[in-house]
Amino acid sequence: MKKRILSLVTVILVISMLVALAGCGGNTSAGDTTSAVESSTTTEATKTVADSKPVEITYWGDWAGEGQKQFEVMMKAFNESQTNVVAKYVVTQDMITKFLTAASSGQSPDIMFWDRWRTSLYAPKGVLHPIDEYMTKDNVKAEDFYTEAVKELTYKDKVYGLPLTVDARALFYNKKLFAENGITTPPTTWEELNEAAKKLTVWNGKKLERAGMSMQDAGLFSMWIQQAGGSMLSDDGTKTAFNSEAGLTVLNYWKKMVMEDKVYKVGFESGLDKGTDAFATGKIAMTYSGPWMLSTYKNYGKDLEFGIVPPPAGPNGNKGAGIGGFGLVIPEGSKHKAEAWELMKWWLTVPENAAMYGKTSLNIPGLKAATLDNFYSGDELYKPFLETFEFAKIRPTVSGYSTMEEKALIPNLQLFLEGKQSAEDTLKKAQELGDKVLLENVIK
Amino acid sequence: MTDIQGAIIRDKSKKIKISRNARSQEVMAYIFIAAPLALFLIFTCYPVFRAFYLSFTQYDILTPAKWTGLENYKRLLHDELFYITLKNVFLYVLMYVPSMIIVSLSIAMALNKIQYAATTYRVIYYMPGLTSSIAAATVWIWLLNPEYGIVNQILGYIGIVGPTWLANSSTALVSIVIVTVWQGIGGNMVIYLAGLQGIPDYLYESASLDGANKLSLFRYITWPALKPTTFFVVTMSMIGAFQLFDQAFAMTQGGPGNATKTPVYLIYTSGFNELQMGYASTMAFVLFLIILTISMINMKINGENSIN
């Protein structure tokens, strides 16, 4: 009987190992086929254009709900505009993780909604397809888009996608509270910002009833340091550069705001969103926010009268803001790259179409010509953002940059805002760890 | 098949036929076991070995793994962030496990006593365990808001200025302990209830006759009798606690100032955000070894006692 058990166990083990090995084998062969597909895509693409049957392409994005409907409107309009390609939007939760497996198993989408800052991490891995050839062929010029946004989609002189939306943070202020406190003009400098914030703050004993200015997001340091005339990284992007005079200026100003003038209390906003949004409910008089909040705040109608101005300038008059947003990219694993490009070209390079998406989704399009539409240039809530784009910069396109901010800088800034370490220590510690993180994340 | 069954079969007269039948039953049994075993091997064992292999490589998911020997382990030795996360998770375990035992045992004892609406109360205490951890965490963020959250408002009524909870690096981890204990009570309470119901009443009766007070009843009867239960609860809570992630991810994103960053959080960000799957595997493996060691120490200290 024992023998029998043993033999059974061995049989099971052998079977499972075989299955496991087969799994391995499957992986490698899948890799081979994708590369085979890659080499044959160009011929395939030319073939399909000649074919009368339309080519189906898949567009991946992680926006559901309203965002999904807006994408589907575009897909429908594109499909009706021509007969060669049928595009379909597929909502993909946890998209990046799924893309990681799809990229290596041949299940890749043809075109993807892309958070632009990820380009510097993914382009070097060869999973995105450069679109320079298509751009030259169809005479699409990078200059027609916001330069910084295209820069964020560029790696080693190759362009990997085009900008769909652009956004930046600007200063939102509550007009009613301004009037009540006798402030006539919104702040344009740090000094004015500080003065206004002091007037707007209300304490009831030890309880903060209204904060003059939101100082919650330590991640905005990169914007503040530009206003102080400094920069985050050294010119070659290999080392941090924020442990500087400018960095210290920012932290001293934060200290004045939070600890001396007490215009904010750390944690004041945590858990307050949607129906209880601190700015919308007047618990915060000023805050840095982006165009993505416009539709929410507009819904409050008369209960919330607000205005927007570009970020105030620092002590030496330097302006600074961060520009971000989304783009569209074509994965290397796509089997219909030429058709994917057709969609991208139609959606992003034709001003009417780019503006159409912008207007339905209340986003600012990445194509400059589309923002000339009166919907944007004639709107007092959009205009401050267009002004901000004039000087706004993208985050450095170094692969370890966001990791550096997340691991080295922000935790130290949070400790500083709590008053647990000095400005000098904060910058020094963040620099030491930050340099190390940048080094560890260099793509070899 | 046990020997007793075998003996019974041997006693029967139709020896050969029945044992052949039994043998085929036995084969069937192994086939049935084989299916889940195969799944276990493929989906649990194989990934574990694979991760062990990956921990010696540089692997970004998108391109083939490169063998780098002990490089990752060397890097881990000098990774101050990993030490911070270990310190955090040890602190968390030290707060979480004892509070869990105290709270779930107290509630179980109370529920064991009450006659009226006992089932309703059990359901109420079990409920948090059924909530998704992310959803619960989201609600707790709001409850713990320093100025407008219910917790601090209640504290305000009795004249206490509540802390800023999640926004303060000194109280953030405590907040997570509160939330996770609240959410974990249900399961452990049920286990303790079962344990309590297994203690024979005559022990309490005779001890009471001998004049033992409530405290001595607990100390000399309940607690020793529940030792195997406690051992189980401690072991399971500890293993779970070392893998803290959901709440730290949803409530504080590891902050403020790294105060709630845990090893699993670091593994997740290294693997999926930085595409350093090899290094993430190294951390995962080291964490596995730590949990294994501590579980074995726990078994050595408490396991043997509880069996005797």
Side-chain angles (χ1 to χ4, degrees), chain A residues 40 61 71 121 131-132 143 148 204 313 329 377 396 418:
Chain A
S40 70
F71 283 152
L121 182 58
I131 57 166
D132 302 80
E143 304 89 79
E148 286 286 308
N204 178 5
V329 293
S377 54
E418 280 182 36

Side-chain angles (χ1 to χ4, degrees), chain A residues 34-35 143 171 237 242 317 351 358 424:
Chain A
T34 37
S35 57
E143 304 89 79
L171 189 71
F242 50 72
E424 289 80 4

Side-chain angles (χ1 to χ4, degrees), chain A residues 361-373:
Chain A
S361 65
L362 296 180
N363 277 299
I364 303 174
L367 184 69
K368 280 192 214 159
T371 60
L372 295 177
D373 191 301

Side-chain angles (χ1 to χ4, degrees), chain A residues 162-387:
Chain A
L162 292 176
L164 171 66
T165 68
V166 277
D167 58 50
R169 282 175 206 257
L171 189 71
F172 285 52
Y173 65 97
N174 189 315
K175 279 185 175 168
K176 207 174 111 203
L177 296 177
F178 265 55
E180 279 171 16
N181 289 279
I183 309 167
T184 46
T185 48
T188 55
T189 64
W190 282 14
E191 220 183 303
E192 288 172 19
L193 181 70
N194 176 258
E195 287 305 316
K198 276 194 283 191
K199 281 184 198 159
L200 293 158
T201 304
V202 181
W203 283 85
N204 178 5
K206 279 194 164 180
K207 191 172 147 70
L208 179 61
E209 302 231 300
R210 184 171 72 221
M213 167 76 190
S214 169
M215 301 294 288
Q216 176 73 12
D217 194 352
L220 294 181
F221 181 83
S222 57
M223 174 172 99
W224 288 88
I225 198 171
Q226 288 176 47
Q227 295 163 4
S231 57
M232 291 298 288
L233 298 186
S234 60
D235 290 337
D236 61 357
T238 57
K239 284 205 153 52
T240 62
F242 50 72
N243 187 6
S244 60
E245 202 52 47
L248 207 58
T249 312
V250 174
L251 293 196
N252 285 335
Y253 184 77
W254 284 12
K255 193 176 168 188
K256 185 169 162 49
M257 293 282 272
V258 180
M259 286 154 222
E260 289 160 21
D261 298 334
K262 294 191 189 302
V263 303
Y264 192 74
K265 181 177 176 179
V266 175
F268 185 64
E269 282 159 272
S270 75
L272 300 180
D273 56 4
K274 298 278 153 54
T276 53
D277 183 281
F279 179 70
T281 51
K283 294 188 181 82
I284 283 179
M286 294 186 283
T287 187
Y288 273 127
S289 195
W292 56 86
M293 286 308 285
L294 285 178
S295 55
T296 310
Y297 290 155
K298 276 180 180 168
N299 279 343
Y300 283 83
K302 280 208 168 146
D303 294 334
L304 175 66
E305 288 169 40
F306 68 102
I308 302 170
V309 283
N316 295 322
N318 289 305
K319 288 180 177 179
I323 184 169
F326 295 93
L328 295 180
V329 293
I330 302 175
E332 195 57 76
S334 160
K335 294 180 180 99
H336 305 288
K337 296 194 186 73
E339 288 78 7
W341 166 253
E342 287 304 314
L343 172 62
M344 196 193 286
K345 192 176 72 179
W346 176 87
W347 188 349
L348 304 182
T349 69
V350 181
E352 296 79 50
N353 299 337
M356 173 173 140
Y357 176 70
K359 285 187 221 170
T360 48
S361 65
L362 296 180
N363 277 299
I364 303 174
L367 184 69
K368 280 192 214 159
T371 60
L372 295 177
D373 191 301
N374 196 43
F375 182 83
Y376 297 106
S377 54
D379 187 300
E380 60 170 318
L381 292 180
Y382 280 116
K383 252 192 343 205
F385 288 110
L386 299 182
E387 283 165 35

Side-chain angles (χ1 to χ4, degrees), chain B residues 258-279:
Chain B
N258 286 334
T260 57
K261 224 165 241 174
T262 66
V264 178
Y265 189 95
L266 205 57
I267 291 166
Y268 171 80
T269 49
S270 300
F272 290 101
N273 292 357
E274 297 159 39
L275 300 184
Q276 303 202 3
M277 212 42 104
Y279 187 55

Side-chain angles (χ1 to χ4, degrees), chain B residues 129-172:
Chain B
L130 299 173
T131 331
S132 122
S133 50
I134 301 289
T138 314
V139 174
W140 273 95
I141 296 175
W142 174 66
L143 293 177
L144 291 172
N145 175 280
E147 304 294 332
Y148 297 94
I150 292 171
V151 176
N152 275 7
Q153 284 191 355
I154 293 172
L155 288 176
Y157 292 136
I158 51 173
I160 299 170
V161 178
T164 49
W165 297 111
L166 296 167
N168 188 313
S169 53
S170 320
T171 49

